[in-house]
Amino acid sequence: MLETTFDPKSVEPRLSEAWEKSGAFQPRGGAAEAFAIVIPPPNVTGSLHIGHALNNTLQDILVRFERLRGKSVLWQPGLDHAGIATQMIVERQLAAEGNMDRKALGRAAFTDRVWKWKGESGGMILHQLKRLGCSADWSRERFTMDEGLSDAVRKVFVRLFKEGLIYKDKRLVNWDPKLETALSDLEVENIEVKGNLWHIRYPLADNPSQFIVVATTRPETMLGDTAVAVNPNDERYTALIGKMVRLPLTGRVIPIIADDYADLEKGSGAVKITPAHDFNDFDVGKRHNLPLIDILDAKARLNENAPETYRGLERTEARKRIVADLEALELIEKIEPITHAVPHDEKSKSVVLEPRLTEQWYLNVQPLADVAMQAVRDGRTRFTSEAWEKTYFRWLENIQPWCISRQLWWGHQIPAWYGPDGKYFVEETEAAALAAAKSHYGKTTPLTQDEDVLDTWFSSALWPFSTLGWPDQTPELKRFYPTSILITGGDIIFFWVARMMMMGLHFMDEVPFSEVFLHSLVRDAKGQKMSKTRGNVMDPLDLIDKYGADALRLTMAMISGQMSIKLSEKSIEGYRNFGTKLWNAARFAQMNECAPWEAFDPSSAKQAVNRWIVGETAKTAAIVTRELEARRFHEAAGALYKFIWNVFCDWYLELIKPLLNGEDEGAKIETRRTMAWALDRIVTLLNPFMPFMTEELWERLAETGEKRARLLIEER
């Protein structure tokens, strides 16, 4: 007999262990139709947050649903090596232990230390996903730095290089002075902060008593100015175009140039041009063939190109000193308080980034983007939301070269080796590079590998086919590529979705997935973004401890259709109560001897109430199937909720009590078997949403039937 209440804390770990040991989540063999999803690989440093709970619940609902339909399902799990985050964690550990820093330790010893950390502490999130009930094929877990995926990364890099799509270039990048590495545009978040707009007088070289006033939010960069720009249509400055000004604090003479970049109405109308320290200025500098003077080092300190008095100063301290010196020279006309957008590291939100002139590796993604857009236009890949499709096109139509190199030690080291004269040889192995160098130099020549690593997203872009064994032509690759659907958050459509499309089409000649379902961020009950600062973060593991995984999963499904997904703990409590109601209905069935009967044909029911519930059950099954096929998870969950709570529990159970307590034995038997059949169908339909409770009910209800006990998932 079922216990009085369902106890998730005892049932969930027992069932999770049984499922995994049984191999229940591995794809079935034979001629079954294939269905595949790749998990968006969480960072090896990560822990389960509420966005993961939503994303993985929706994936799990689909894979369990398709298993129920007899398909051979592969849900491919794995982890991303998270270059920056992982390196930061290990460096902090070294500092906390009082050990030498990364550079003093050396690259080989440091990477050994990272691998040790990964073995001891990395990947915790995958265990947390199991607590959520995720039925991925855990036997196939992959890691973006494992041997097979690393081989794939090297092969892709070399091929793209030899196709002329990967190249080196010296240009401005977003630079993180704390980590001392380049970041891509997508890793930058412009945050509104309070600051100042300094209006600085630049004396004319031929008449120091006259000035042209420039306005800037970064006065320290003036030391690298190589021109002042004015709009050619600005009558205030027409007579000054072509004249020279003497750059304050340096004495260097620079020209006044005419360029449309100067805004007639913004600031003073005159703009200082610092090509080595501003992205727009860099473009102006190229148009006018201006020199590039880099005045900051890797840590954003003033370097040897700055006047000696400022060298070694960190940029904020240099700003204070420079402003004070300009004021002493009476060259500050005014200081205007403003609020403006300042680029920060997208992950930490704390580090102010600096445009910096460096040589990096780039991938020309425009040819790949053109193909990726066409694949959506011709329907090979379909977005379930037209709004997200428009976002996808808008970004790809304006895509810029991708800076793929990072000045880190944890990651895929770039497969390029340099000779003594700086010539580089790009090959998959050092042996191949040495052979190429010997052919070039005419003798055996020692080479040094490029110290940079690849952007983490480079390896993640290969995920749908590298995890299936590519470049080897494995049976899994043949059977499960392209995958069926991608489910992920809309916030990584640029980082990951578009890049997988580009790489999949280029290397597999086929889209990586035929359908893309993107969901919004989960917010709190008031619609606010969750953050530790606001104190409104909801930890899914705490919610599972309190209400059980099933209640959280059903809540995620029910709210998934919202444009702005709002989550409240009260709603999770409500769906736990729904589970309690179903559990009590199953206890009622057991107490009234309503046991499963394999030979029962529901169409044979004669009692009106039984014919009615058979029809309502069939109708609900059709609705759930239709809505899940349409990826309307909330509609499928809502249909089940209404049917189970209102139709089955509130109405049917009450209506059959007279029959169960009556004298008509034939009516009793039919009602018992009908109720058992309906409950069996309910457990099956609800299983993708609430796998733990339904599995437990399946096994326990079978105890009083024809001894059919078996893992629900195994039968399918």
Side-chain angles (χ1 to χ4, degrees):
M1 177 59 106
L2 289 170
E3 290 76 12
T4 306
T5 57
F6 175 68
D7 179 22
K9 290 185 178 179
S10 64
V11 171
E12 289 174 2
R14 170 170 54 81
L15 288 180
S16 288
E17 184 180 3
W19 286 335
E20 191 168 354
K21 281 185 177 179
S22 72
F25 304 150
Q26 295 174 12
R28 65 175 64 198
E33 181 183 348
F35 182 88
I37 298 182
V38 290
I39 192 172
N43 288 348
V44 68
T45 60
S47 59
L48 193 69
H49 61 60
I50 207 68
H52 293 132
L54 170 66
N55 179 255
N56 287 279
T57 293
L58 298 183
Q59 292 179 76
D60 194 50
I61 287 171
L62 266 195
V63 299
R64 288 179 181 271
F65 170 68
E66 296 297 356
R67 284 196 195 101
L68 285 167
R69 301 213 288 181
K71 293 183 182 178
S72 179
V73 175
L74 171 62
W75 186 12
Q76 174 64 55
L79 289 166
D80 186 280
H81 63 277
I84 291 175
T86 304
Q87 183 160 313
M88 287 175 63
I89 285 176
V90 177
E91 287 195 82
R92 281 198 296 266
Q93 282 187 348
L94 289 172
E97 295 168 3
N99 292 324
M100 60 184 71
D101 64 19
R102 167 174 61 95
K103 292 182 179 177
L105 192 62
R107 183 170 195 143
F110 178 77
T111 52
D112 285 346
R113 179 64 185 260
V114 179
W115 277 110
K116 181 183 177 189
W117 172 87
K118 194 264 181 184
E120 294 172 350
S121 306
M124 175 179 63
I125 190 170
L126 295 184
H127 298 288
Q128 295 170 337
L129 287 174
K130 293 176 186 179
R131 287 200 60 194
L132 187 64
C134 292
S135 61
D137 183 357
W138 302 110
S139 69
R140 289 186 53 84
E141 180 187 326
R142 301 304 300 268
F143 180 51
T144 50
M145 286 282 288
D146 71 29
E147 185 177 350
L149 270 63
S150 296
D151 288 345
V153 167
R154 287 190 293 271
K155 184 171 286 291
V156 164
F157 185 96
V158 171
R159 177 171 154 185
L160 290 171
F161 173 80
K162 294 187 175 181
E163 290 173 344
L165 293 172
I166 283 180
Y167 59 95
K168 293 192 79 171
D169 194 11
K170 190 170 186 178
R171 52 192 296 178
L172 288 189
V173 295
N174 299 292
W175 185 261
D176 185 325
K178 184 176 181 180
L179 294 172
E180 297 183 51
T181 183
L183 299 177
S184 76
D185 292 342
L186 294 176
E187 294 168 298
V188 178
E189 181 173 345
N190 287 302
I191 299 175
E192 292 287 328
V193 299
K194 292 182 178 180
N196 291 314
L197 187 65
W198 285 270
H199 294 251
I200 306 172
R201 297 167 178 159
Y202 283 21
L204 296 182
D206 60 358
N207 188 356
S209 63
Q210 290 188 346
F211 306 91
I212 186 169
V213 177
V214 301
T216 181
T217 59
R218 300 163 67 215
E220 68 279 7
T221 63
M222 66 174 292
L223 303 178
D225 286 358
T226 54
V228 172
V230 298
N231 194 290
N233 299 315
D234 193 335
E235 296 179 355
R236 294 174 295 177
Y237 300 120
T238 303
L240 295 179
I241 295 172
K243 288 183 174 291
M244 308 294 283
V245 297
R246 192 168 298 279
L247 186 63
L249 307 179
T250 71
R252 190 155 40 82
V253 175
I254 60 176
I256 299 174
I257 62 174
D259 196 281
D260 290 334
Y261 169 62
D263 192 326
L264 282 77
E265 300 179 358
K266 187 176 180 180
S268 65
V271 184
K272 59 187 288 299
I273 302 299
T274 320
H277 292 282
D278 182 275
F279 289 99
N280 292 316
D281 292 5
F282 182 79
D283 292 335
V284 175
K286 285 201 295 185
R287 287 197 292 272
H288 296 270
N289 199 28
L290 298 174
L292 292 87
I293 301 177
D294 183 2
I295 52 103
L296 295 175
D297 67 11
K299 292 185 178 293
R301 298 173 302 201
L302 276 290
N303 65 16
E304 67 280 0
N305 292 326
E308 188 173 353
T309 185
Y310 304 119
R311 291 174 191 171
L313 294 178
E314 197 275 329
R315 56 186 166 170
T316 53
E317 181 60 29
R319 178 179 299 181
K320 294 175 185 176
R321 290 272 297 274
I322 287 168
V323 168
D325 290 347
L326 290 170
E327 286 177 329
L329 294 170
E330 298 183 347
L331 293 177
I332 299 287
E333 182 161 293
K334 64 177 180 177
I335 302 174
E336 182 182 353
I338 61 168
T339 299
H340 62 132
V342 175
H344 287 69
D345 170 24
E346 181 266 340
K347 291 183 180 67
S348 70
K349 310 290 192 296
S350 60
V351 178
V352 176
L353 303 180
E354 189 71 41
R356 186 165 188 248
L357 186 65
T358 62
E359 187 174 49
Q360 302 284 346
W361 291 92
Y362 288 88
L363 171 58
N364 176 17
V365 287
Q366 188 62 64
L368 309 182
D370 291 342
V371 177
M373 285 188 285
Q374 187 56 43
V376 174
R377 291 192 181 104
D378 63 26
R380 281 180 286 161
T381 292
R382 180 180 67 87
F383 282 77
T384 55
S385 165
E386 185 178 343
W388 286 121
E389 182 179 296
K390 289 179 180 177
T391 302
Y392 171 83
F393 281 126
R394 188 164 56 248
W395 186 66
L396 288 178
E397 286 166 354
N398 299 285
I399 200 165
Q400 298 297 312
W402 177 10
C403 176
I404 56 174
S405 48
R406 299 288 179 270
Q407 288 63 57
L408 304 171
W409 284 357
W410 175 242
H412 295 102
Q413 193 168 353
I414 288 173
W417 284 263
Y418 296 84
D421 56 356
K423 180 174 176 57
Y424 50 85
F425 304 88
V426 174
E427 300 291 346
E428 291 182 41
T429 65
E430 183 177 14
L434 286 167
K438 185 175 183 180
S439 175
H440 173 75
Y441 293 114
K443 61 180 180 178
T444 300
T445 305
L447 302 176
T448 303
Q449 188 172 359
D450 196 307
E451 292 190 351
D452 290 353
V453 301
L454 287 163
D455 179 5
T456 301
W457 293 101
F458 190 92
S459 52
S460 296
L462 318 181
W463 192 250
F465 55 93
S466 64
T467 53
L468 296 174
W470 188 92
D472 294 335
Q473 297 304 305
T474 63
E476 293 86 358
L477 188 66
K478 183 178 180 180
R479 188 171 195 193
F480 293 110
Y481 190 93
T483 61
S484 306
I485 183 173
L486 176 74
I487 299 179
T488 192
D491 55 326
I492 60 172
I493 190 171
F494 318 118
F495 287 102
W496 196 46
V497 180
R499 287 170 174 170
M500 282 191 291
M501 284 288 288
M502 291 188 281
M503 292 297 196
L505 284 159
H506 193 73
F507 288 94
M508 297 294 295
D509 296 320
E510 182 56 276
V511 294
F513 25 75
S514 52
E515 187 179 352
V516 179
F517 179 95
L518 298 169
H519 57 76
S520 302
L521 295 174
V522 183
R523 301 177 181 272
D524 69 11
K526 297 178 181 178
Q528 295 180 318
K529 188 174 181 179
M530 293 188 189
S531 71
K532 292 180 181 178
T533 304
R534 289 194 179 101
N536 63 347
V537 172
M538 300 176 75
D539 186 330
L541 297 176
D542 291 342
L543 297 171
I544 290 172
D545 287 338
K546 191 170 183 179
Y547 301 107
D550 287 331
L552 178 60
R553 288 170 60 104
L554 186 59
T555 305
M556 294 287 101
M558 293 289 276
I559 66 176
S560 64
Q562 301 172 5
M563 290 297 293
S564 179
I565 299 174
K566 299 176 183 177
L567 177 65
S568 70
E569 192 166 334
K570 187 175 181 181
S571 63
I572 302 171
E573 182 181 9
Y575 294 120
R576 180 194 61 184
N577 295 341
F578 165 77
T580 300
K581 194 170 184 74
L582 175 60
W583 187 264
N584 289 336
R587 279 176 52 80
F588 174 84
Q590 274 195 336
M591 287 186 290
N592 285 276
E593 302 176 37
C594 301
W597 192 262
E598 294 284 5
F600 176 67
D601 180 4
S603 65
S604 67
K606 295 181 174 57
Q607 298 294 321
V609 68
N610 292 330
R611 292 200 305 272
W612 170 71
I613 199 63
V614 167
E616 290 298 309
T617 304
K619 182 165 54 175
T620 302
I623 292 171
V624 171
T625 299
R626 181 190 70 211
E627 298 301 339
L628 286 180
E629 287 178 339
R631 314 314 183 205
R632 292 188 287 265
F633 299 92
H634 60 296
E635 296 288 0
L640 276 170
Y641 181 90
K642 291 173 187 175
F643 170 68
I644 294 168
W645 188 294
N646 299 331
V647 177
F648 185 75
C649 294
D650 282 356
W651 282 99
Y652 181 66
L653 265 59
E654 292 300 319
L655 290 172
I656 64 173
K657 285 178 181 178
L659 293 174
L660 294 173
N661 296 325
E663 301 297 327
D664 187 337
E665 287 301 319
K668 277 186 184 180
I669 292 173
E670 177 190 298
T671 302
R672 287 169 179 159
R673 292 177 181 175
T674 303
M675 183 183 180
W677 173 85
L679 189 56
D680 182 86
R681 294 298 297 141
I682 284 170
V683 165
T684 301
L685 290 168
L686 190 60
N687 176 257
F689 300 86
M690 303 180 76
F692 292 108
M693 178 178 285
T694 54
E695 180 80 5
E696 185 73 356
L697 286 173
W698 178 277
E699 293 186 24
R700 299 296 301 280
L701 290 173
E703 292 172 0
T704 55
E706 299 173 286
K707 301 297 180 184
R708 305 176 307 145
R710 60 204 179 270
L711 285 175
L712 176 62
I713 202 74
E714 275 193 316
E715 184 193 79
R716 290 133 200 184

